[in-house]
């Protein structure tokens, strides 16, 4: 009787998609619980590379059910494109993919509000992916939203028209001109709605709880990362959902006492895309090297990801907030031949050294305190056993484990599904 949870512990893009895909055969159901197409989850296997935005990353395992949970916001146009993109894999999506009736729908005008709102912020912009996420969640909590279950009855279009009018008023008040064609967005949107209707739209909370009772194994897949959480992230430079463990309960309708393992994923360094504080950010050739070697460019927007050293103050915070029971370290292969490595173990703010993640981080005022580690030159991308990893990497891993007091169970050494080292429990 259990549900495991898999979450990103940094600012997103930790490699969640890769791991969900790699471990999906251990589960009967993979369920996404929050976020929307702001996510880009990359999966590589057998020479294929595929990026998923709304559909859970278990979709390539034909034996498991994938569920888009009630906490997710769905853009029907993007959803349709994702479905079309999966055609070549010959997966029976009408059988393997379920969608919660309670999930909210992103309207074309949500995307325009996102763009005009960002444009009006100037230098203070969030760096949103402009997928309409913030405005869609605002309508959800404002009790104006349209849900997937609504589209079964055609009368939803009346609600659509009145919400669209309201949005157009909001947009005109921003006094910003953005180059987005509402007509084109609406065309994609209505095609997408027809596509959505052809899927199995379900009362997902009942389905999941019944499945738990029947002894099925469920993996809840998070999107974004803990430091982008609406409550615990670097507000206001965050996304608009609870990306942390509690979000899985509200985003799927499962109680906390059903959760067993909480798997936290982090990169061996740190990245961030979009604006906001990032104490360990590197502005030098080392940061550039990490970006190039790690291909740190946004999977959804193609933007350069900002790169820096591993921040253990932030990691420990994420481990605490989520109650992480096991860790997965990603992309240590990217650090091969980089020379000495640094990890941040505390922040100096003014004359005060602190070892926790504070309410407000102003990057310029925070001086990360680092510990240095010897690096390694070995190419580790083909290593299959932890015993064959360089001693320096093993030391690095041991230090992280002792600092955050949670074991690292999986070491990822490349983007492919098979470039994964599982450690004995
Ligand atoms: P997600 O949003 O957490 O699923 O992560 P993204 O897919 O946005 O970004 C992770 C990127 O790193 C993708 O391009 C993956 O293919 C790649 N990746 C995942 N794990 C590894 C790894 O261990 N080593 C390397 N070099 N690349 C990895
Ligand atoms: P995955 O699931 C990295 C960032 C955006 C921006 C902020 C708000 O692939 O890890 P939003 O579009 O939500 O209004 O953007 O959050 N962001 C992500 N960064 N990975 C993601 O998802 C992200 N989703 C949103 O760059 O700074
Ligand atoms: Mg991503």
């Amino acid at each position: 009787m259990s549900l495991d949870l898999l979450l990103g512990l940094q600012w997103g893009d930790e490699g969640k998609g890769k791991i969900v895909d790699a471990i999906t055969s251990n589960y009967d159901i993979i369920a996404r619980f929050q976020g929307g197409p702001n996510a880009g989850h990359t999966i590589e296997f057998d020479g294929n590379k595929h990026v998923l935005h709304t559909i859970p990353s278990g979709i390539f395992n034909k034996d498991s059910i994938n569920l888009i949970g009630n906490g997710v916001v769905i853009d029907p146009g993007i959803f349709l494109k994702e479905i079309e993109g999966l055609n070549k894999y010959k997966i029976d999506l009408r059988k393997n993919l379920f969608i919660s009736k309670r999930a909210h729908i992103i309207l074309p005008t949500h995307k325009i509000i996102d763009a005009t709102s960002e444009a009006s912020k100037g230098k203070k912009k969030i760096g949103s992916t402009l997928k309409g996420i913030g405005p869609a969640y605002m309508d959800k909590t404002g009790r104006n939203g349209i849900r997937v279950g609504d589209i079964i009855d055609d009368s939803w279009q009346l609600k659509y028209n009145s919400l669209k009018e309201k949005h157009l008023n909001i947009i005109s008040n921003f006094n910003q001109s953005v180059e987005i064609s509402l007509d084109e967005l609406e065309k994609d949107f209505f095609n997408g709605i027809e596509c959505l209707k052809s899927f199995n739209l379900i009362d997902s909370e009942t389905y999941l709880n019944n499945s738990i009772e029947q002894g099925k194994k469920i993996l809840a897949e998070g999107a974004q990362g803990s430091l982008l959480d609406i409550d615990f992230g670097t507000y206001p430079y965050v996304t608009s959902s609870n990306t942390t463990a509690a979000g899985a309960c509200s985003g799927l309708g499962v109680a906390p006492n059903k959760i067993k393992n909480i798997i936290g994923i982090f990169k061996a360094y740190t990245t961030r895309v979009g604006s906001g504080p990032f104490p360990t950010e590197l502005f030098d050739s080392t940061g550039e090297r990490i970006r190039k070697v790690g291909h740190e460019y946004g999977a959804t927007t193609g933007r350069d990801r900002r790169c820096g050293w591993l921040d253990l103050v932030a990691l420990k915070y994420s481990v605490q907030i989520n109650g992480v029971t096991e860790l997965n370290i990603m992309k240590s292969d990217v650090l091969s031949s980089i020379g000495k490595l640094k990890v941040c173990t505390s922040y100096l703010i003014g004359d005060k050294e602190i070892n926790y993640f504070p309410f407000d981080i102003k990057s310029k005022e925070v001086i990360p305190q680092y510990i240095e580690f010897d690096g390694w030159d070995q190419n580790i991308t083909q290593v299959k056993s932890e015993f064959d990893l360089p001693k320096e990497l093993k030391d690095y891993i041991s230090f992280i484990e002792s600092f955050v007091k949670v074991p690292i169970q999986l070491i990822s050494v490349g983007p492919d599904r098979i470039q994964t080292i599982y450690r004995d429990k």
Side-chain angles (χ1 to χ4, degrees):
M1 252 208 2
S2 69
L3 176 134
D4 291 346
L5 241 172
L6 183 141
L7 308 150
L9 300 181
Q10 295 161 317
W11 279 287
D13 304 326
E14 296 88 350
K16 299 174 291 291
K18 167 182 165 162
I19 298 302
V20 171
D21 170 70
I23 64 174
T24 192
S25 58
N26 300 335
Y27 295 93
D28 302 297
I29 302 167
I30 310 294
R32 249 292 285 278
F33 62 86
Q34 45 68 234
N38 47 350
H41 295 177
T42 315
I43 293 162
E44 291 195 32
F45 59 96
D46 301 340
N48 297 297
K49 178 174 174 173
H50 200 89
V51 180
L52 293 163
H53 300 288
T54 322
I55 295 171
S57 304
I59 201 70
F60 297 104
N61 173 20
K62 295 183 173 128
D63 297 325
S64 56
I65 295 291
N66 284 261
L67 170 75
I68 300 174
N70 59 279
V72 177
V73 285
I74 302 175
D75 178 324
I78 295 180
F79 176 76
L80 169 59
K81 289 202 182 80
E82 273 192 81
I83 296 298
E84 288 170 350
L86 287 169
N87 278 346
K88 67 173 180 173
Y89 298 99
K90 307 259 177 285
I91 305 161
D92 189 353
L93 293 170
R94 301 296 185 293
K95 187 175 131 243
N96 286 10
L97 182 62
F98 296 177
I99 303 166
S100 172
K101 283 186 185 165
R102 291 180 192 270
H104 278 246
I105 292 183
I106 301 175
L107 270 49
T109 38
H110 282 139
K111 288 200 264 195
I112 302 179
I113 295 176
D114 213 356
T116 41
S117 152
E118 278 283 83
S120 73
K121 286 190 169 124
K123 278 191 182 150
K124 292 200 165 136
K125 69 173 185 185
I126 307 293
S128 161
T129 60
L130 304 181
K131 303 291 178 201
I133 305 296
Y137 278 115
M138 277 165 71
D139 272 334
K140 174 179 177 175
T141 50
R143 297 165 292 181
N144 293 314
I146 296 175
R147 297 183 294 170
V148 166
D150 294 331
I151 62 171
I152 297 166
D153 179 345
D154 281 346
S155 63
W156 77 276
Q157 298 211 14
L158 294 173
K159 201 169 169 191
Y160 173 82
N161 286 332
S162 88
L163 194 52
K164 173 177 147 184
E165 281 310 311
K166 195 175 147 205
H167 288 165
L168 290 174
N169 271 328
I170 296 172
I171 291 162
S172 68
N173 281 337
F174 275 116
N175 242 340
Q176 295 283 336
S177 68
V178 290
E179 310 249 315
I180 304 178
S181 154
L182 180 55
D183 286 350
E184 269 174 38
L185 287 181
E186 281 192 317
K187 215 171 106 203
D188 290 347
F189 176 78
F190 285 109
N191 286 337
I193 291 281
E194 289 312 307
C195 173
L196 264 180
K197 276 191 197 167
S198 70
F199 275 82
N200 211 344
L201 311 180
I202 63 163
D203 292 309
S204 53
E205 57 290 347
T206 305
Y207 168 72
L208 282 178
N209 282 296
N210 286 346
S211 301
I212 291 173
E213 264 176 38
Q214 289 158 14
K216 299 229 165 96
K217 291 198 76 186
I218 300 166
L219 179 67
E221 173 181 357
Q224 288 77 56
S226 302
L227 304 177
L228 288 170
D229 181 277
I230 183 74
D231 281 284
F232 300 105
T234 43
Y235 194 90
Y237 300 99
V238 292
T239 190
S240 297
S241 61
N242 280 116
T243 59
T244 43
C249 297
S250 58
L252 294 176
V254 291
N257 63 355
K258 299 289 190 301
I259 298 176
K260 194 172 169 206
N261 301 309
I262 303 184
I263 307 164
I265 313 257
F266 71 102
K267 282 179 191 167
Y269 47 91
T270 311
T271 64
R272 168 162 212 172
V273 60
S275 325
F278 180 177
T280 62
E281 183 167 9
L282 288 164
F283 299 95
D284 57 7
S285 57
T286 307
E288 190 53 41
R289 186 183 186 285
I290 293 176
R291 184 174 308 115
K292 286 226 166 74
V293 177
H295 301 288
E296 295 296 357
Y297 308 98
T300 296
T301 58
R303 291 178 292 178
D304 280 10
R305 293 177 183 153
R306 300 155 62 191
C307 300
W309 295 120
L310 181 62
D311 182 343
L312 287 183
V313 180
L315 190 72
K316 195 167 185 172
Y317 173 74
S318 295
V319 164
Q320 272 181 343
I321 296 284
N322 290 303
V324 169
T325 59
E326 56 187 88
L327 289 164
N328 293 178
I329 186 169
M330 311 298 292
K331 301 190 93 160
S332 24
D333 55 295
V334 173
L335 297 180
S336 292
S337 303
I338 206 169
K340 294 262 188 205
L341 302 175
K342 287 183 181 178
V343 293
C344 167
T345 51
S346 64
Y347 298 151
L348 192 63
I349 303 177
D351 55 4
K352 242 176 123 186
E353 188 171 351
I354 65 164
N355 59 6
Y356 62 90
F357 201 71
F359 156 75
D360 193 16
I361 292 182
K362 295 193 177 64
S363 290
K364 279 194 190 130
E365 293 171 12
V366 174
I367 304 172
Q369 303 299 294
Y370 289 111
I371 293 191
E372 235 179 40
F373 284 82
D374 286 335
W376 58 90
D377 289 326
Q378 191 185 324
N379 177 332
I380 57 169
T381 55
Q382 304 308 319
V383 172
K384 302 277 179 253
S385 154
E386 64 169 303
F387 303 105
D388 297 328
L389 289 172
K391 178 188 174 298
E392 294 80 4
L393 175 54
K394 285 189 215 157
D395 290 346
Y396 190 66
I397 286 174
S398 300
F399 183 79
I400 297 167
E401 290 181 311
S402 64
F403 194 92
V404 301
K405 300 191 176 64
V406 176
I408 292 178
Q409 295 293 167
L410 182 154
I411 302 159
S412 174
V413 292
D416 196 282
R417 192 189 265 175
I418 58 171
Q419 290 172 298
T420 311
I421 301 171
Y422 301 89
R423 298 172 99 189
D424 290 336
K425 289 202 182 180

